Amino acid sequence: MWGRIAEMLKRAWRPMVATDLVFRLFAFAVLTPAVGLLFRGSLAFSGDPVLADTDIIRFLLHPVGILSLILVAGAIIAVSALELSALMAIALADGRGESLGVVPALRFTATKIHGIFFLTARIVAVVLLVAAPFLAVGFAIFWTLLTEHDINFYLKTHPPVFWVASGLIGVVLLALIAVLLRLTVGWLLAVPLHLFADTPPGECLARSRAATSGHGRTIAAAVIVWLVLIQIASFVLAAAVVGFGRLVVPWATGGVWALAAAVGIILVAWFVTRLAVSVAGYVTFAALVASCFEQWVDAGEYRIPQQSPSESRFAMRMTAGRLLAAAAIAAV
């Protein structure tokens, strides 16, 4: 599996990275103000102009807060699914010896947008239903043990009851993560089945579980290895930026402008490294899912989008650079 993933990334990483950046700029330009307006409207509707500490938890447990959380989570997951869809289209086309550019990949994904939104909405609903009992137990532990004082008191003083509650909530969260990992393994191929095998959205989850049956340990191990590698890369780059900051800032304390420039450089370095890790995570995960799809779904059951001559001419005019420039202008 990892050899196949390496082959995909070696040949198709450029269009995959460009496509991922386009999606991120789109999400930044559209989702950021949309989420801000949604929560501001929800706060206005709830009658509370400002929320702090435990009020935030109470708001999220309010019907308005729950609805806001579902809408935001659904939008984020849907955009992520669209992003992974375009990346998988490029990776699978490479597996057939074909080249799929940024624009054709985005166009193909756009034709499946309704089914993807329906599928991700169903996934969000199932996950919420599964997570509800675990979250209820965790909240009950918090409410029973950590509401005698303000939450900042427990965070600052760390009394014994704080550690007891943290341990109990940690056990609940570990159990929830194990359940969600099992669901992820079973649903791993749901999106590509809809994209490339024309499986109806309502049947994708069941068909994905059938396709991955008997391969659960292999998929779980691959997902865990992917998570560990991404976390290691994130930790190493973050440590490098922090170390760089500790070296630079003491030398820039002679004046306000020098200090501002040093802090600005550090913040830019932090943003670039976090973006690089995030893009690498999405690209490699898309290649992982594409590899599993190739391995466990019969090649005769799915089709890969092809770039027609007209699309090729259009892609020459609308290059990846021009597309990124347009997305950057939209973000600004």
Side-chain angles (χ1 to χ4, degrees):
M1 178 186 295
W2 294 108
R4 181 70 190 103
I5 293 173
E7 291 178 7
M8 287 181 177
L9 295 176
K10 183 178 180 180
R11 291 194 294 263
W13 72 270
R14 291 179 185 273
M16 292 178 75
V17 169
T19 302
D20 190 76
L21 291 175
V22 169
F23 263 100
R24 287 174 186 276
L25 285 169
F26 167 78
F28 177 77
V30 176
L31 287 184
T32 301
V35 170
L37 290 173
L38 177 63
F39 276 114
R40 184 172 292 275
S42 300
L43 284 174
F45 185 79
S46 67
D48 295 323
V50 177
L51 297 180
D53 298 335
T54 55
D55 292 334
I56 297 175
I57 299 177
R58 294 190 183 97
F59 170 72
L60 293 177
L61 293 176
H62 188 275
V64 176
I66 293 174
L67 178 60
S68 301
L69 195 62
I70 292 173
L71 291 175
V72 171
I76 293 174
I77 293 175
V79 171
S80 298
L82 290 170
E83 185 177 353
L84 288 172
S85 300
L87 297 178
M88 284 187 288
I90 296 172
L92 289 172
D94 175 78
R96 295 279 181 93
E98 301 172 2
S99 178
L100 193 65
V102 177
V103 175
L106 295 175
R107 181 177 296 175
F108 168 75
T109 304
T111 63
K112 302 284 188 176
I113 189 169
H114 296 293
I116 292 174
F117 272 105
F118 180 84
L119 179 58
T120 54
R122 186 175 183 183
I123 290 174
V124 170
V126 174
V127 168
L128 287 176
L129 288 174
V130 171
F134 295 92
L135 297 178
V137 172
F139 182 76
I141 294 171
F142 170 83
W143 190 264
T144 303
L145 300 178
L146 299 179
T147 53
E148 184 177 354
H149 304 283
D150 185 81
I151 188 63
N152 292 317
F153 167 80
Y154 296 102
L155 294 175
K156 183 178 180 179
T157 61
H158 297 162
V161 68
F162 172 81
W163 295 113
V164 172
S166 298
L168 293 174
I169 292 175
V171 171
V172 174
L173 290 178
L174 286 175
L176 176 59
I177 291 171
V179 173
L180 293 179
L181 179 61
R182 183 179 180 86
L183 291 177
T184 300
V185 168
W187 295 344
L188 191 70
L189 305 182
V191 172
L193 280 170
H194 174 65
L195 284 172
F196 310 115
D198 292 327
T199 304
E203 302 175 9
C204 287
L205 298 182
R207 188 174 176 188
S208 176
R209 286 193 296 268
T212 56
S213 179
H215 308 290
R217 291 185 179 180
T218 301
I219 296 174
V223 171
I224 291 173
V225 169
W226 171 79
L227 282 171
V228 171
L229 292 176
I230 293 300
Q231 291 303 315
I232 290 175
S234 178
F235 174 79
V236 170
L237 290 177
V241 173
V242 171
F244 174 72
R246 288 178 175 174
L247 291 174
V248 171
V249 170
W251 292 93
T253 55
V256 175
W257 291 109
L259 182 61
V263 172
I265 292 172
I266 293 168
L267 290 176
V268 170
W270 180 269
F271 171 77
V272 171
T273 54
R274 301 304 299 175
L275 178 64
V277 171
S278 182
V279 170
Y282 265 84
V283 169
T284 51
F285 187 73
L288 188 156
V289 177
S291 176
C292 293
F293 186 77
E294 278 186 338
Q295 188 172 354
W296 294 313
V297 176
D298 184 51
E301 297 181 10
Y302 64 90
R303 62 179 181 85
I304 303 300
Q306 296 181 348
Q307 184 167 286
S308 64
S310 61
E311 286 180 324
S312 299
R313 289 194 297 269
F314 177 77
M316 290 177 63
R317 295 194 301 270
M318 180 56 76
T319 61
R322 293 174 181 174
L323 194 61
L324 285 173
I329 293 172
V332 172

